[in-house]
Amino acid sequence: MSKFSKLGLRRAAGACAVAAAAAVGLAGMGAGTAAAAPLANGYKSASGVDGETLQTWRKAESQYSVKRVAYNGGLGRTALLSGLYQAKASEGVSGSLAVSILAGCQIDVAGISLDGGAGISLGDFSNPVPGISLDGGISIPLAPGQAAIYSVTDKDIPEGGTSAIQLSDYEINFPNCGGYATARTVVKTIAAQGYEIEDDGETVTGEGSLIKSTLYGQPFFVS
C-alpha cells in the first residue's frame, strides 16, 4: 500500500490564487456577447505504469452573459454556465472527479495552466451516466487584475466505473469586476488502485500508480 500527497485536490471549497503575471491583459480585446454560446467539447486520457487508465470528458458546455439589475455603478458581471463532465476508471481503479472555475477580472485566463499535462483531443461522449446535477451558483469577488480558481463540486469515481457532474444554468457572479471578466472550467481527476483518502484529507492511499489529470475548458468572456 502506497501513500501519495493530495496536493491541489482538496475537497474544501474556496479560492486558490493564480499569479496574474502569468496572464495576458484584455486590452484591445472584444466584449462578450449576451447570446448563448456553445463551448468546445474535450477529452483526455491518462495512463499508469501498470496499464491503469483514467478518462475524462467534457461535453455540451455553453454559457451566456446576463444583465445585472443591481445599482452598483456598472460593477459586476454574471454568466450562466451549463455542461456535462464525466470520468471513467479502468478495472480496479477508483478516485475522484472535481469541477472548478478558473476566472479573472480583466485577465485572459486562456494562457494560465495550473499544472502540466498531455494534449487534449475530442472523444466519444454519447452515453453519459447519471450523476450530480447542479443549478445553483458561485460568487467570485475578484478585483481588476486578479485571477483565481474556485471549487464547484466533486464526486467519487467508483472502482472500474463512471462518474458524472452536470451543471445547468450555473450562475457565475463577479460582484466587484468593473471591466470584462473571463472564465473557463477546470476538470481534475485523481485515481489509483485501492484509492482512499485518509482522515487528514491531504493523503491518498493506494497501490501502483497515482494518476492525476486536468482537462481545461474553452475560455469565455463575460460582459
Side-chain angles (χ1 to χ4, degrees):
M1 188 70 67
S2 302
K3 292 185 177 181
F4 312 96
S5 174
K6 189 172 174 281
L7 297 177
L9 204 69
R10 297 177 179 174
R11 290 180 177 273
C16 176
V18 178
V24 178
L26 296 183
M29 302 187 73
T33 175
L39 302 173
N41 293 342
Y43 169 79
K44 190 173 183 180
S45 180
S47 301
V49 296
D50 296 325
E52 311 98 323
T53 61
L54 179 61
Q55 301 179 77
T56 310
W57 290 266
R58 186 189 69 255
K59 188 181 181 183
E61 269 197 325
S62 65
Q63 72 82 27
Y64 62 94
S65 300
V66 295
K67 292 183 178 180
R68 291 177 55 86
V69 297
Y71 294 99
N72 56 2
L75 294 177
R77 299 290 181 266
T78 301
L80 299 181
L81 175 68
S82 297
L84 187 58
Y85 312 92
Q86 184 184 36
K88 179 176 176 56
S90 60
E91 184 178 355
V93 175
S94 59
S96 177
L97 164 69
V99 176
S100 300
I101 301 293
L102 174 60
C105 177
Q106 294 180 319
I107 292 291
D108 183 1
V109 298
I112 300 178
S113 179
L114 303 183
D115 52 18
I120 297 173
S121 61
L122 295 179
D124 181 15
F125 201 173
S126 57
N127 295 304
V129 300
I132 293 177
S133 180
L134 295 178
D135 58 1
I138 188 171
S139 180
I140 301 177
L142 295 177
Q146 291 183 331
I149 182 167
Y150 284 75
S151 173
V152 175
T153 190
D154 61 15
K155 191 174 189 294
D156 292 338
I157 305 171
E159 183 175 320
T162 303
S163 183
I165 295 172
Q166 182 172 1
L167 302 183
S168 178
D169 287 340
Y170 188 81
E171 183 176 304
I172 306 173
N173 181 27
F174 298 82
N176 302 323
C177 184
Y180 297 118
T182 182
R184 70 193 304 185
T185 54
V186 180
V187 186
K188 301 195 75 173
T189 50
I190 180 171
Q193 296 183 36
Y195 176 91
E196 186 176 349
I197 301 174
E198 295 194 354
D199 292 339
D200 61 7
E202 296 295 334
T203 304
V204 172
T205 301
E207 300 176 355
S209 303
L210 176 68
I211 308 172
K212 295 180 67 176
S213 178
T214 304
L215 178 62
Y216 293 95
Q218 177 184 339
F220 57 88
F221 294 102
V222 184
S223 61

